[in-house]
Short mmCIF file of all heavy atoms in Angstrom, two decimals:
data_model
loop_
_atom_site.label_atom_id
_atom_site.label_comp_id
_atom_site.label_asym_id
_atom_site.label_seq_id
_atom_site.Cartn_x
_atom_site.Cartn_y
_atom_site.Cartn_z
N GLU A 4 31.37 3.36 0.49
CA GLU A 4 31.68 4.10 1.72
C GLU A 4 31.11 5.47 1.66
O GLU A 4 31.32 6.18 0.81
CB GLU A 4 33.15 4.14 1.93
CG GLU A 4 33.74 2.78 2.03
CD GLU A 4 35.29 2.76 2.11
OE1 GLU A 4 35.84 3.83 2.56
OE2 GLU A 4 35.85 1.70 1.86
N ALA A 5 30.22 5.90 2.64
CA ALA A 5 29.44 7.05 2.64
C ALA A 5 30.30 8.34 2.54
O ALA A 5 29.89 9.25 1.91
CB ALA A 5 28.48 7.09 3.82
N TYR A 6 31.54 8.33 3.18
CA TYR A 6 32.20 9.58 3.10
C TYR A 6 32.78 10.01 1.73
O TYR A 6 33.14 11.12 1.58
CB TYR A 6 33.36 9.49 4.13
CG TYR A 6 34.53 8.59 3.76
CD1 TYR A 6 35.58 9.06 3.09
CD2 TYR A 6 34.42 7.31 4.13
CE1 TYR A 6 36.63 8.20 2.75
CE2 TYR A 6 35.51 6.38 3.77
CZ TYR A 6 36.60 6.82 3.09
OH TYR A 6 37.56 6.04 2.67
N ARG A 7 32.71 9.02 0.81
CA ARG A 7 33.20 9.33 -0.58
C ARG A 7 32.02 9.79 -1.51
O ARG A 7 32.25 9.99 -2.68
CB ARG A 7 33.88 8.12 -1.12
CG ARG A 7 35.14 7.82 -0.44
CD ARG A 7 35.85 6.69 -1.15
NE ARG A 7 37.09 6.26 -0.36
CZ ARG A 7 37.75 5.25 -0.60
NH1 ARG A 7 37.50 4.52 -1.65
NH2 ARG A 7 38.84 4.99 0.11
N CYS A 8 30.92 9.77 -0.97
CA CYS A 8 29.64 10.07 -1.76
C CYS A 8 29.56 11.56 -2.19
O CYS A 8 30.05 12.44 -1.47
CB CYS A 8 28.40 9.61 -1.13
SG CYS A 8 28.38 7.85 -0.89
N THR A 9 28.93 11.82 -3.29
CA THR A 9 28.75 13.20 -3.85
C THR A 9 27.40 13.81 -3.63
O THR A 9 27.28 15.02 -3.78
CB THR A 9 29.11 13.14 -5.36
OG1 THR A 9 28.20 12.22 -5.98
CG2 THR A 9 30.55 12.69 -5.60
N ARG A 10 26.44 13.05 -3.25
CA ARG A 10 25.11 13.49 -3.06
C ARG A 10 24.48 12.79 -1.85
O ARG A 10 24.91 11.69 -1.57
CB ARG A 10 24.19 13.29 -4.24
CG ARG A 10 24.60 14.08 -5.42
CD ARG A 10 23.70 13.78 -6.61
NE ARG A 10 23.77 12.32 -7.02
CZ ARG A 10 22.71 11.63 -7.34
NH1 ARG A 10 21.51 12.15 -7.36
NH2 ARG A 10 22.86 10.30 -7.62
N HIS A 11 23.49 13.44 -1.19
CA HIS A 11 22.80 12.85 -0.06
C HIS A 11 21.32 13.08 -0.27
O HIS A 11 20.93 14.13 -0.62
CB HIS A 11 23.34 13.47 1.22
CG HIS A 11 24.73 13.09 1.55
ND1 HIS A 11 25.73 13.87 1.06
CD2 HIS A 11 25.26 12.15 2.30
CE1 HIS A 11 26.91 13.39 1.51
NE2 HIS A 11 26.64 12.23 2.15
N SER A 12 20.56 12.12 0.05
CA SER A 12 19.10 12.23 -0.01
C SER A 12 18.45 12.09 1.42
O SER A 12 18.82 11.09 2.16
CB SER A 12 18.55 11.08 -0.89
OG SER A 12 17.15 11.13 -0.96
N VAL A 13 17.58 13.03 1.80
CA VAL A 13 17.01 13.07 3.10
C VAL A 13 15.63 12.49 2.97
O VAL A 13 14.79 12.98 2.11
CB VAL A 13 16.95 14.47 3.68
CG1 VAL A 13 16.39 14.51 5.06
CG2 VAL A 13 18.38 15.06 3.76
N TRP A 14 15.28 11.50 3.79
CA TRP A 14 13.93 10.83 3.75
C TRP A 14 13.32 11.12 5.15
O TRP A 14 13.97 11.18 6.15
CB TRP A 14 14.20 9.30 3.67
CG TRP A 14 14.75 8.86 2.36
CD1 TRP A 14 16.06 9.16 1.90
CD2 TRP A 14 14.08 8.28 1.28
NE1 TRP A 14 16.19 8.61 0.63
CE2 TRP A 14 14.96 8.14 0.24
CE3 TRP A 14 12.72 7.84 1.11
CZ2 TRP A 14 14.64 7.55 -1.01
CZ3 TRP A 14 12.48 7.33 -0.09
CH2 TRP A 14 13.35 7.10 -1.21
N PHE A 15 11.94 11.30 5.10
CA PHE A 15 11.29 11.78 6.26
C PHE A 15 9.83 11.26 6.26
O PHE A 15 9.20 11.04 5.20
CB PHE A 15 11.25 13.36 6.25
CG PHE A 15 10.72 14.04 7.52
CD1 PHE A 15 11.51 14.19 8.59
CD2 PHE A 15 9.38 14.43 7.52
CE1 PHE A 15 11.01 14.83 9.69
CE2 PHE A 15 8.86 15.02 8.61
CZ PHE A 15 9.67 15.24 9.76
N GLY A 16 9.25 10.98 7.42
CA GLY A 16 7.84 10.66 7.47
C GLY A 16 7.45 10.31 8.95
O GLY A 16 8.22 10.25 9.87
N GLU A 17 6.08 10.06 9.04
CA GLU A 17 5.49 9.75 10.26
C GLU A 17 5.44 8.19 10.52
O GLU A 17 5.12 7.82 11.63
CB GLU A 17 4.08 10.29 10.42
CG GLU A 17 3.97 11.76 10.55
CD GLU A 17 2.63 12.26 10.77
OE1 GLU A 17 2.05 12.07 11.93
OE2 GLU A 17 2.08 12.82 9.84
N MET A 18 5.67 7.44 9.50
CA MET A 18 5.67 6.01 9.61
C MET A 18 6.98 5.49 9.13
O MET A 18 7.46 5.80 8.02
CB MET A 18 4.46 5.41 8.78
CG MET A 18 3.11 5.85 9.32
SD MET A 18 1.72 5.35 8.30
CE MET A 18 2.01 3.62 8.14
N LEU A 19 7.54 4.63 9.94
CA LEU A 19 8.91 4.05 9.66
C LEU A 19 8.97 3.40 8.27
O LEU A 19 10.01 3.47 7.66
CB LEU A 19 9.26 3.10 10.80
CG LEU A 19 10.66 2.47 10.68
CD1 LEU A 19 11.73 3.56 10.86
CD2 LEU A 19 10.78 1.55 11.93
N ASP A 20 7.90 2.80 7.95
CA ASP A 20 8.00 1.92 6.64
C ASP A 20 7.48 2.73 5.45
O ASP A 20 7.40 2.13 4.35
CB ASP A 20 7.11 0.64 6.79
CG ASP A 20 5.71 0.86 7.15
OD1 ASP A 20 5.35 2.05 7.36
OD2 ASP A 20 4.97 -0.11 7.10
N SER A 21 7.28 3.99 5.60
CA SER A 21 6.82 4.79 4.38
C SER A 21 7.56 6.15 4.40
O SER A 21 6.85 7.13 4.11
CB SER A 21 5.38 4.92 4.39
OG SER A 21 4.87 5.59 5.45
N LEU A 22 8.76 6.19 4.57
CA LEU A 22 9.57 7.49 4.44
C LEU A 22 9.57 7.94 2.99
O LEU A 22 9.60 7.17 2.10
CB LEU A 22 10.90 7.25 4.99
CG LEU A 22 11.15 6.88 6.37
CD1 LEU A 22 12.61 6.72 6.73
CD2 LEU A 22 10.51 7.80 7.40
N LYS A 23 9.52 9.26 2.89
CA LYS A 23 9.52 9.86 1.53
C LYS A 23 10.69 10.84 1.42
O LYS A 23 11.01 11.48 2.33
CB LYS A 23 8.28 10.59 1.27
CG LYS A 23 7.06 9.66 1.17
CD LYS A 23 5.79 10.48 0.87
CE LYS A 23 4.54 9.67 0.58
NZ LYS A 23 4.26 8.60 1.40
N PRO A 24 11.40 10.95 0.20
CA PRO A 24 12.45 11.86 0.05
C PRO A 24 11.86 13.34 0.07
O PRO A 24 10.93 13.63 -0.50
CB PRO A 24 13.02 11.52 -1.30
CG PRO A 24 11.91 10.80 -2.02
CD PRO A 24 11.07 10.15 -0.98
N ILE A 25 12.58 14.15 0.96
CA ILE A 25 12.17 15.53 1.04
C ILE A 25 13.22 16.44 0.58
O ILE A 25 12.96 17.63 0.39
CB ILE A 25 11.67 15.89 2.44
CG1 ILE A 25 12.86 15.78 3.43
CG2 ILE A 25 10.50 15.09 2.87
CD1 ILE A 25 12.57 16.42 4.82
N ALA A 26 14.46 15.99 0.34
CA ALA A 26 15.56 16.90 -0.09
C ALA A 26 16.68 16.03 -0.66
O ALA A 26 16.88 14.93 -0.22
CB ALA A 26 16.03 17.78 1.06
N GLU A 27 17.34 16.62 -1.61
CA GLU A 27 18.65 16.01 -2.17
C GLU A 27 19.72 17.14 -2.05
O GLU A 27 19.52 18.21 -2.60
CB GLU A 27 18.46 15.54 -3.60
CG GLU A 27 19.69 14.82 -4.11
CD GLU A 27 19.50 14.16 -5.40
OE1 GLU A 27 18.42 13.49 -5.56
OE2 GLU A 27 20.32 14.41 -6.34
N LEU A 28 20.73 16.77 -1.31
CA LEU A 28 21.92 17.67 -1.17
C LEU A 28 22.96 17.30 -2.15
O LEU A 28 23.52 16.16 -2.06
CB LEU A 28 22.34 17.64 0.28
CG LEU A 28 21.25 17.87 1.39
CD1 LEU A 28 21.83 17.66 2.72
CD2 LEU A 28 20.69 19.21 1.25
N LYS A 29 23.33 18.23 -3.02
CA LYS A 29 24.26 17.81 -4.14
C LYS A 29 25.67 18.32 -3.84
O LYS A 29 26.59 17.90 -4.54
CB LYS A 29 23.82 18.44 -5.44
CG LYS A 29 22.43 17.85 -5.78
CD LYS A 29 22.00 18.41 -7.12
CE LYS A 29 20.62 17.80 -7.44
NZ LYS A 29 20.01 18.32 -8.66
N ASP A 30 25.97 19.05 -2.86
CA ASP A 30 27.28 19.46 -2.53
C ASP A 30 27.35 19.72 -1.01
O ASP A 30 26.35 19.62 -0.33
CB ASP A 30 27.76 20.70 -3.39
CG ASP A 30 26.81 21.86 -3.30
OD1 ASP A 30 26.32 22.07 -2.14
OD2 ASP A 30 26.65 22.53 -4.25
N ASP A 31 28.52 20.26 -0.63
CA ASP A 31 28.58 20.52 0.78
C ASP A 31 28.35 22.00 1.17
O ASP A 31 28.66 22.54 2.25
CB ASP A 31 30.03 20.12 1.29
CG ASP A 31 31.14 20.90 0.63
OD1 ASP A 31 30.80 21.61 -0.23
OD2 ASP A 31 32.30 20.57 0.97
N ALA A 32 27.65 22.68 0.28
CA ALA A 32 27.36 24.09 0.50
C ALA A 32 26.42 24.29 1.69
O ALA A 32 26.35 25.29 2.33
CB ALA A 32 26.80 24.77 -0.76
N THR A 33 25.48 23.26 1.88
CA THR A 33 24.53 23.31 2.97
C THR A 33 24.21 22.00 3.41
O THR A 33 24.32 21.02 2.61
CB THR A 33 23.24 24.05 2.53
OG1 THR A 33 22.42 24.17 3.72
CG2 THR A 33 22.42 23.28 1.46
N ASN A 34 23.82 21.81 4.64
CA ASN A 34 23.35 20.56 5.17
C ASN A 34 22.04 20.81 5.92
O ASN A 34 21.69 19.98 6.83
CB ASN A 34 24.36 19.87 6.05
CG ASN A 34 24.76 20.73 7.25
OD1 ASN A 34 24.24 21.84 7.47
ND2 ASN A 34 25.59 20.11 8.08
N ILE A 35 21.33 21.86 5.64
CA ILE A 35 20.13 22.29 6.29
C ILE A 35 18.93 21.91 5.35
O ILE A 35 18.93 22.28 4.21
CB ILE A 35 20.08 23.73 6.63
CG1 ILE A 35 21.25 24.06 7.65
CG2 ILE A 35 18.78 24.19 7.26
CD1 ILE A 35 21.48 25.54 7.88
N VAL A 36 18.00 21.15 6.02
CA VAL A 36 16.75 20.77 5.31
C VAL A 36 15.56 21.19 6.20
O VAL A 36 15.50 20.86 7.36
CB VAL A 36 16.74 19.23 5.04
CG1 VAL A 36 15.40 18.82 4.45
CG2 VAL A 36 17.86 18.89 4.18
N ASN A 37 14.53 21.83 5.62
CA ASN A 37 13.43 22.21 6.34
C ASN A 37 12.31 21.15 6.13
O ASN A 37 11.94 20.84 5.04
CB ASN A 37 12.84 23.58 5.78
CG ASN A 37 13.76 24.67 6.22
OD1 ASN A 37 14.17 24.75 7.29
ND2 ASN A 37 13.99 25.52 5.26
N PRO A 38 11.83 20.52 7.27
CA PRO A 38 10.84 19.45 7.11
C PRO A 38 9.45 20.07 6.79
O PRO A 38 9.29 21.28 7.07
CB PRO A 38 10.79 18.79 8.50
CG PRO A 38 11.24 19.96 9.40
CD PRO A 38 12.23 20.80 8.62
N PRO A 39 8.53 19.31 6.44
CA PRO A 39 7.16 19.77 6.28
C PRO A 39 6.59 20.15 7.61
O PRO A 39 7.22 19.92 8.65
CB PRO A 39 6.39 18.61 5.71
CG PRO A 39 7.28 17.40 5.88
CD PRO A 39 8.65 17.85 6.09
N PRO A 40 5.46 20.83 7.70
CA PRO A 40 4.91 21.21 8.99
C PRO A 40 4.76 20.06 9.94
O PRO A 40 4.34 18.99 9.52
CB PRO A 40 3.56 21.82 8.67
CG PRO A 40 3.68 22.25 7.18
CD PRO A 40 4.61 21.25 6.58
N LEU A 41 5.12 20.24 11.15
CA LEU A 41 5.07 19.18 12.17
C LEU A 41 3.88 19.33 13.14
O LEU A 41 3.50 20.50 13.48
CB LEU A 41 6.37 19.24 13.08
CG LEU A 41 7.71 19.20 12.28
CD1 LEU A 41 8.82 19.28 13.22
CD2 LEU A 41 7.78 17.91 11.49
N LYS A 42 3.30 18.17 13.56
CA LYS A 42 2.15 18.28 14.34
C LYS A 42 2.59 17.94 15.83
O LYS A 42 3.31 17.02 16.04
CB LYS A 42 1.14 17.16 13.92
CG LYS A 42 0.57 17.39 12.54
CD LYS A 42 -0.45 16.40 12.15
CE LYS A 42 0.26 15.13 11.66
NZ LYS A 42 -0.56 14.14 11.11
N PRO A 43 1.99 18.66 16.82
CA PRO A 43 2.34 18.49 18.23
C PRO A 43 2.07 17.05 18.65
O PRO A 43 0.97 16.52 18.23
CB PRO A 43 1.47 19.49 18.95
CG PRO A 43 1.26 20.64 17.97
CD PRO A 43 1.12 19.87 16.65
N GLY A 44 2.90 16.46 19.41
CA GLY A 44 2.64 15.10 19.96
C GLY A 44 2.99 13.94 18.92
O GLY A 44 2.89 12.81 19.29
N SER A 45 3.33 14.35 17.71
CA SER A 45 3.61 13.28 16.66
C SER A 45 5.07 12.82 16.68
O SER A 45 5.92 13.65 16.99
CB SER A 45 3.26 13.81 15.24
OG SER A 45 1.85 14.04 15.20
N THR A 46 5.24 11.60 16.32
CA THR A 46 6.59 11.13 16.18
C THR A 46 7.03 11.03 14.74
O THR A 46 6.16 10.65 13.82
CB THR A 46 6.69 9.69 16.75
OG1 THR A 46 6.44 9.80 18.20
CG2 THR A 46 8.15 9.04 16.60
N TYR A 47 8.22 11.45 14.40
CA TYR A 47 8.71 11.52 13.04
C TYR A 47 9.96 10.71 12.91
O TYR A 47 10.75 10.60 13.84
CB TYR A 47 8.91 12.98 12.52
CG TYR A 47 7.60 13.72 12.49
CD1 TYR A 47 7.27 14.53 13.54
CD2 TYR A 47 6.90 13.67 11.35
CE1 TYR A 47 6.09 15.20 13.45
CE2 TYR A 47 5.72 14.45 11.31
CZ TYR A 47 5.28 15.25 12.41
OH TYR A 47 4.14 15.93 12.28
N TYR A 48 10.21 10.12 11.65
CA TYR A 48 11.38 9.32 11.35
C TYR A 48 12.11 10.01 10.27
O TYR A 48 11.45 10.56 9.42
CB TYR A 48 10.97 7.91 11.06
CG TYR A 48 10.12 7.18 12.12
CD1 TYR A 48 8.78 7.30 12.17
CD2 TYR A 48 10.82 6.52 13.18
CE1 TYR A 48 7.99 6.73 13.19
CE2 TYR A 48 10.08 5.92 14.15
CZ TYR A 48 8.71 6.01 14.18
OH TYR A 48 8.00 5.38 15.12
N TRP A 49 13.44 9.79 10.28
CA TRP A 49 14.18 10.42 9.21
C TRP A 49 15.49 9.64 8.99
O TRP A 49 15.98 9.02 9.91
CB TRP A 49 14.45 11.91 9.40
CG TRP A 49 15.30 12.30 10.55
CD1 TRP A 49 14.93 12.30 11.87
CD2 TRP A 49 16.71 12.71 10.50
NE1 TRP A 49 15.95 12.63 12.66
CE2 TRP A 49 17.04 12.95 11.90
CE3 TRP A 49 17.62 12.81 9.55
CZ2 TRP A 49 18.36 13.29 12.21
CZ3 TRP A 49 18.86 13.29 9.92
CH2 TRP A 49 19.23 13.43 11.26
N ARG A 50 16.06 9.77 7.72
CA ARG A 50 17.29 9.12 7.50
C ARG A 50 18.08 9.87 6.42
O ARG A 50 17.33 10.64 5.49
CB ARG A 50 17.23 7.69 7.23
CG ARG A 50 16.77 7.30 5.83
CD ARG A 50 16.95 5.83 5.50
NE ARG A 50 16.86 5.65 4.09
CZ ARG A 50 15.78 5.09 3.51
NH1 ARG A 50 14.76 4.70 4.24
NH2 ARG A 50 15.76 5.03 2.17
N VAL A 51 19.33 9.74 6.21
CA VAL A 51 20.03 10.31 5.17
C VAL A 51 20.75 9.24 4.40
O VAL A 51 21.58 8.44 5.06
CB VAL A 51 21.08 11.40 5.70
CG1 VAL A 51 21.83 11.95 4.50
CG2 VAL A 51 20.35 12.44 6.43
N ASP A 52 20.48 9.07 3.16
CA ASP A 52 21.21 8.10 2.24
C ASP A 52 22.30 8.88 1.51
O ASP A 52 22.16 10.01 1.00
CB ASP A 52 20.28 7.52 1.26
CG ASP A 52 19.19 6.54 1.89
OD1 ASP A 52 19.38 6.38 3.11
OD2 ASP A 52 18.24 6.22 1.30
N ALA A 53 23.46 8.22 1.38
CA ALA A 53 24.60 8.78 0.60
C ALA A 53 24.64 8.07 -0.67
O ALA A 53 24.48 6.89 -0.79
CB ALA A 53 25.90 8.53 1.45
N MET A 54 24.90 8.88 -1.79
CA MET A 54 24.87 8.37 -3.20
C MET A 54 26.16 8.71 -3.78
O MET A 54 26.67 9.86 -3.82
CB MET A 54 23.73 8.98 -3.98
CG MET A 54 22.35 8.55 -3.32
SD MET A 54 20.94 9.46 -4.12
CE MET A 54 21.16 11.01 -3.24
N GLY A 55 26.79 7.71 -4.38
CA GLY A 55 28.11 7.88 -5.03
C GLY A 55 27.91 8.30 -6.50
O GLY A 55 26.82 8.11 -7.08
N SER A 56 28.95 8.73 -7.19
CA SER A 56 28.86 9.19 -8.53
C SER A 56 28.64 7.93 -9.42
O SER A 56 28.26 8.18 -10.62
CB SER A 56 30.12 9.95 -8.93
OG SER A 56 31.23 9.08 -8.77
N ASP A 57 28.94 6.78 -8.94
CA ASP A 57 28.69 5.56 -9.74
C ASP A 57 27.28 5.00 -9.64
O ASP A 57 26.90 3.98 -10.13
CB ASP A 57 29.71 4.54 -9.40
CG ASP A 57 29.52 4.02 -7.89
OD1 ASP A 57 28.78 4.64 -7.20
OD2 ASP A 57 30.35 3.11 -7.51
N GLY A 58 26.39 5.64 -8.94
CA GLY A 58 24.99 5.20 -8.68
C GLY A 58 24.78 4.45 -7.44
O GLY A 58 23.75 3.99 -7.12
N SER A 59 25.93 4.13 -6.76
CA SER A 59 25.79 3.30 -5.50
C SER A 59 25.08 4.21 -4.43
O SER A 59 25.15 5.32 -4.39
CB SER A 59 27.14 2.92 -4.97
OG SER A 59 27.92 4.01 -4.69
N VAL A 60 24.36 3.49 -3.48
CA VAL A 60 23.71 4.09 -2.43
C VAL A 60 23.97 3.38 -1.13
O VAL A 60 23.99 2.19 -1.02
CB VAL A 60 22.14 4.04 -2.68
CG1 VAL A 60 21.37 4.54 -1.46
CG2 VAL A 60 21.76 4.70 -3.87
N VAL A 61 24.40 4.22 -0.12
CA VAL A 61 24.61 3.79 1.15
C VAL A 61 23.44 4.18 2.03
O VAL A 61 23.28 5.48 2.26
CB VAL A 61 25.95 4.21 1.84
CG1 VAL A 61 26.13 3.75 3.21
CG2 VAL A 61 27.07 3.71 0.89
N THR A 62 22.50 3.29 2.49
CA THR A 62 21.40 3.70 3.26
C THR A 62 21.78 3.91 4.65
O THR A 62 22.45 3.17 5.26
CB THR A 62 20.38 2.56 3.24
OG1 THR A 62 19.98 2.33 1.84
CG2 THR A 62 19.12 2.95 3.93
N GLY A 63 21.37 5.16 5.15
CA GLY A 63 21.76 5.51 6.52
C GLY A 63 20.76 4.94 7.55
O GLY A 63 19.77 4.45 7.18
N PRO A 64 21.09 5.05 8.84
CA PRO A 64 20.29 4.59 9.91
C PRO A 64 19.03 5.53 10.09
O PRO A 64 19.09 6.70 9.63
CB PRO A 64 21.13 4.66 11.13
CG PRO A 64 22.14 5.75 10.86
CD PRO A 64 22.37 5.70 9.33
N VAL A 65 18.03 4.99 10.59
CA VAL A 65 16.82 5.69 10.82
C VAL A 65 16.83 6.27 12.22
O VAL A 65 17.16 5.67 13.17
CB VAL A 65 15.52 4.86 10.61
CG1 VAL A 65 14.25 5.68 11.00
CG2 VAL A 65 15.49 4.31 9.22
N TRP A 66 16.51 7.58 12.32
CA TRP A 66 16.35 8.37 13.55
C TRP A 66 14.96 8.74 13.80
O TRP A 66 14.17 8.80 12.83
CB TRP A 66 17.34 9.61 13.53
CG TRP A 66 18.74 9.22 13.27
CD1 TRP A 66 19.35 9.04 12.11
CD2 TRP A 66 19.71 9.11 14.25
NE1 TRP A 66 20.70 8.75 12.23
CE2 TRP A 66 20.94 8.82 13.62
CE3 TRP A 66 19.77 9.15 15.64
CZ2 TRP A 66 22.10 8.55 14.29
CZ3 TRP A 66 20.96 9.01 16.33
CH2 TRP A 66 22.07 8.70 15.63
N ALA A 67 14.67 9.02 15.03
CA ALA A 67 13.22 9.39 15.33
C ALA A 67 13.28 10.51 16.34
O ALA A 67 14.18 10.67 17.18
CB ALA A 67 12.48 8.25 15.93
N PHE A 68 12.18 11.31 16.34
CA PHE A 68 12.01 12.37 17.37
C PHE A 68 10.48 12.61 17.47
O PHE A 68 9.71 12.24 16.59
CB PHE A 68 12.71 13.70 17.01
CG PHE A 68 12.19 14.37 15.81
CD1 PHE A 68 11.26 15.39 15.93
CD2 PHE A 68 12.70 14.12 14.54
CE1 PHE A 68 10.70 16.07 14.82
CE2 PHE A 68 12.18 14.72 13.37
CZ PHE A 68 11.21 15.71 13.54
N THR A 69 10.10 13.05 18.66
CA THR A 69 8.68 13.35 18.94
C THR A 69 8.55 14.78 19.22
O THR A 69 9.34 15.38 20.02
CB THR A 69 8.19 12.55 20.17
OG1 THR A 69 8.30 11.14 19.90
CG2 THR A 69 6.71 12.80 20.43
N VAL A 70 7.56 15.49 18.69
CA VAL A 70 7.34 16.94 18.78
C VAL A 70 6.56 17.09 20.14
O VAL A 70 5.55 16.39 20.35
CB VAL A 70 6.53 17.49 17.59
CG1 VAL A 70 6.19 19.00 17.82
CG2 VAL A 70 7.27 17.25 16.31
N GLY A 71 7.00 18.06 20.96
CA GLY A 71 6.26 18.25 22.17
C GLY A 71 4.89 18.85 21.96
O GLY A 71 4.52 19.43 20.81
N ASN A 72 4.09 18.91 22.96
CA ASN A 72 2.69 19.44 22.90
C ASN A 72 2.78 20.97 23.03
O ASN A 72 3.51 21.55 23.59
CB ASN A 72 1.79 18.83 23.96
CG ASN A 72 1.53 17.41 23.50
OD1 ASN A 72 1.44 17.06 22.36
ND2 ASN A 72 1.48 16.51 24.58
#
């Protein structure tokens, strides 16, 4: 169950099938992640996976947004 997890991994990319980890959040001190530079008109995908102290992973849903021109 994701709400019991102790760490979160943020995945990001321009292609749905090749997301790469860009941040690991280890506590609740921050939930802000700066993405790499974004290109106008491009669509990006991202998700957040929750990781438990026992090594379990709850894969989050994938979200998308498009940068304006």
Side-chain angles (χ1 to χ4, degrees):
E4 297 177 22
Y6 70 91
R7 294 183 185 176
C8 291
T9 57
R10 295 179 298 140
H11 294 85
S12 179
V13 180
W14 295 72
F15 188 83
E17 289 185 72
M18 296 175 51
L19 183 59
D20 60 351
S21 62
L22 299 179
K23 293 181 172 45
I25 63 166
E27 185 171 311
L28 308 174
K29 296 181 181 175
D30 55 37
D31 61 359
T33 185
N34 61 358
I35 297 172
V36 174
N37 292 316
L41 305 176
K42 295 182 279 188
S45 295
T46 298
Y47 294 93
Y48 301 90
W49 64 285
R50 77 167 196 256
V51 178
D52 294 347
M54 298 169 284
S56 58
D57 62 355
S59 62
V60 176
V61 177
T62 302
V65 176
W66 298 84
F68 66 93
T69 301
V70 178
N72 290 322

